[in-house]
Amino acid sequence: MPFFAYKARNARGELVEGVLKGIDSGGVANQLVSTGITPVQINATSNPNGDGAKRFWNQIFADKVRPIDVQLFSRQLYTLLKSGVPIMRGLTGLQESAINKAFAKLIQDLRESLDAGRELSSAMRRYPNAFSAFYISMVRVGELTGNLENIFLRLYGHLEFEREMRERVKTALRYPMFVVATMVIAMVVINIWVIPAFAKVFKGFNAELPFMTRILIGISDFFVNYWYVLAALLVAAIVAMRIFIASPPGRLVWDRLKLQLPIVGRIVLKATLARFARSFALSSKSGVPIVQALNVVAQTVDNTFIASRIEHMRDGVERGESIYRCAVGAKVFTPVVLQMVAVGEESGAIDDLMDEIALMYEHEVEYELKTLSSNIEPILIVILGAMVLVLALGIFLPIWDLGKVALRR
């Protein structure tokens, strides 16, 4: 999502500035309003961390704040606050014990902001790459309700769920990605070294080659003689794709396309909806109003298309429609989930039912990930078989024919 620089006024009337990620300026404005800040000016920016050269070198050499740092920070703050340690003293101890220098610097900035009279949520808003909009909104709710320690405990559980989901996806994709990478390397080696060697042999016989062989030799010649053109086209395609995805319309198209991919699409959808249900349940249990909760949760699903559907639900609830009717209109939930939403809304236990929905989706994602390799293997076998067939028809068949001609002589 793009970055937006903003100027706003907090509850004390103080001017605050920062940078946030959002679908558009309206989404950023909703994030600010949901945390009790009134936006004054919001402008799109492609340079949130200073000039381009400085940001480039900082990204390469500087330490980065990792998700695990934020997760452990949440758990440690919960323990300190529950034990009655003042937050300023707790942040000082966390800064001194932090191994990651970037995160230690972040904690120092949080301490200085609190010492200057700012809220913790306002100070965290200056680091959108470390603290998500959902995280900041939950901290803001904890500040308003005086229940900050329990908010940090719930955020720790939420971040643990996010981390486990990412690890499961990486583990499931490791084998298919290794096979695909091996196939690509094999194709490059065959086209640059293997086929040219056979082409020299075929040329020595001065015989007419089969059509498939001529195609393979032509492709190999293009690889060898015009590799820089292929490299330039590949780089141009990657850059164009990144620019397209960085734009709001392109991001929407890409995120919708991901949900329609065979095999992988349903895993992405279920994982995204599990994240939505878990985040909504956490917001509801923390006392966030439904409209505000839907607005905040839309920023956590990491899928622009699903986020737009959730915002559509928020608009419906804001008009006075039921959550069930809005969920039906979103057209992303299964009938079983819709039935659970209806029961939860009727019984007044929507947060508990959302937790159940999240668990159901998590179990389905876990099953899908366990069977992902077995589902992808037939496709990889077919591709490998097609490659072997092409090589057999293009290389070994001419050798066989030439061998029979030589034997007849």
Side-chain angles (χ1 to χ4, degrees):
M1 287 188 288
F3 287 93
F4 292 87
Y6 69 86
K7 294 182 180 180
R9 298 280 180 183
N10 60 16
R12 300 177 182 177
E14 299 171 336
L15 182 65
V16 293
E17 300 181 17
V19 178
L20 281 177
K21 283 184 178 180
I23 299 175
D24 52 26
S25 59
V28 174
N30 290 332
Q31 293 182 49
L32 295 173
V33 172
S34 66
T35 55
I37 291 183
T38 304
V40 176
Q41 182 180 356
I42 299 176
N43 296 316
T45 178
S46 58
N47 207 2
N49 297 318
D51 60 90
K54 181 179 179 181
R55 183 180 59 172
F56 176 77
W57 291 112
N58 285 342
Q59 289 178 345
I60 292 180
F61 296 108
D63 291 333
K64 291 179 173 36
V65 177
R66 301 164 298 174
I68 189 64
D69 294 325
V70 180
Q71 182 181 342
L72 294 177
F73 171 77
S74 304
R75 180 70 185 191
Q76 291 166 342
L77 263 185
Y78 159 74
T79 303
L80 291 170
L81 293 176
K82 186 180 179 181
S83 302
V85 178
I87 189 169
M88 289 294 292
R89 189 193 305 171
L91 289 176
T92 302
L94 292 178
Q95 178 188 345
E96 294 174 352
S97 62
I99 300 176
N100 189 329
K101 294 181 180 180
F103 198 67
K105 184 178 180 181
L106 184 152
I107 297 175
Q108 180 183 359
D109 186 74
L110 293 181
R111 287 179 50 246
E112 293 174 354
S113 297
L114 290 176
D115 193 44
R118 297 193 183 117
E119 297 91 350
L120 181 61
S121 57
S122 299
M124 289 179 171
R125 196 175 292 108
R126 298 179 57 186
Y127 295 92
N129 291 329
F131 303 106
S132 65
F134 177 78
Y135 192 102
I136 296 171
S137 298
M138 289 298 99
V139 173
R140 177 63 178 170
V141 170
E143 291 173 334
L144 294 175
T145 60
N147 196 26
L148 196 57
E149 63 274 10
N150 288 329
I151 291 293
F152 278 118
L153 178 61
R154 292 173 180 174
L155 284 172
Y156 169 79
H158 177 77
L159 294 175
E160 177 67 15
F161 159 72
E162 295 281 328
R163 187 180 66 84
E164 289 181 355
M165 191 69 67
R166 287 193 298 268
E167 290 299 323
R168 289 174 184 173
V169 172
K170 289 180 181 178
T171 302
L173 293 178
R174 188 172 295 133
Y175 170 71
M177 292 300 294
F178 174 78
V179 174
V180 171
T182 304
M183 290 170 57
V184 172
I185 294 173
M187 290 179 62
V188 172
V189 171
I190 289 172
N191 279 282
I192 294 179
W193 287 287
V194 178
I195 294 179
F198 279 101
K200 293 179 181 179
V201 175
F202 297 152
K203 187 176 180 181
F205 284 96
N206 295 321
E208 184 179 355
L209 300 176
F211 177 72
M212 184 61 69
T213 305
R214 294 198 300 269
I215 291 179
L216 288 177
I217 293 176
I219 294 175
S220 176
D221 290 340
F222 188 82
F223 259 87
V224 173
N225 299 323
Y226 301 99
W227 60 268
Y228 53 89
V229 176
L230 291 174
L233 290 175
L234 180 61
V235 172
I238 294 175
V239 172
M241 189 65 179
R242 291 177 65 90
I243 294 175
F244 177 73
I245 294 176
S247 65
R251 185 71 182 184
L252 181 63
V253 172
W254 172 244
D255 285 344
R256 187 169 187 175
L257 179 63
K258 285 193 296 187
L259 302 177
Q260 298 172 351
L261 293 174
I263 302 177
V264 179
R266 63 174 180 261
I267 299 178
V268 175
L269 176 61
K270 291 176 181 179
T272 303
L273 294 180
R275 187 179 296 113
F276 157 74
R278 182 70 72 187
S279 302
F280 185 86
L282 176 57
S283 302
S284 181
K285 288 180 179 180
S286 301
V288 181
I290 292 179
V291 174
Q292 183 178 339
L294 289 172
N295 181 64
V296 172
V297 169
Q299 308 297 326
T300 70
V301 294
D302 198 26
N303 187 289
T304 308
F305 176 73
I306 299 296
S308 66
R309 297 288 86 198
I310 296 174
E311 290 176 351
H312 179 75
M313 289 178 58
R314 177 204 63 195
D315 295 338
V317 173
E318 202 168 15
R319 290 193 300 267
E321 299 178 12
S322 65
I323 300 177
Y324 169 74
R325 184 178 296 274
C326 296
V328 172
K331 298 180 180 179
V332 292
F333 299 102
T334 61
V336 175
V337 172
L338 293 174
Q339 184 179 3
M340 294 177 70
V341 170
V343 172
E345 189 173 20
E346 184 71 22
S347 61
I350 188 67
D351 49 356
D352 293 331
L353 266 296
M354 278 293 177
D355 266 333
E356 294 296 328
I357 292 172
L359 285 174
M360 184 183 70
Y361 274 130
E362 288 170 24
H363 292 154
E364 291 186 11
V365 169
E366 186 174 0
Y367 174 77
E368 294 281 358
L369 291 175
K370 287 181 179 178
T371 60
L372 179 62
S373 297
S374 60
N375 291 332
I376 293 179
E377 280 177 3
I379 301 175
L380 297 178
I381 291 174
V382 170
I383 296 175
L384 286 172
M387 290 177 59
V388 172
L389 179 62
V390 170
L391 290 174
L393 292 176
I395 296 178
F396 300 112
L397 184 60
I399 294 177
W400 176 258
D401 292 339
L402 292 173
K404 289 193 295 185
V405 172
L407 290 174
R408 290 174 185 176
R409 293 179 180 178

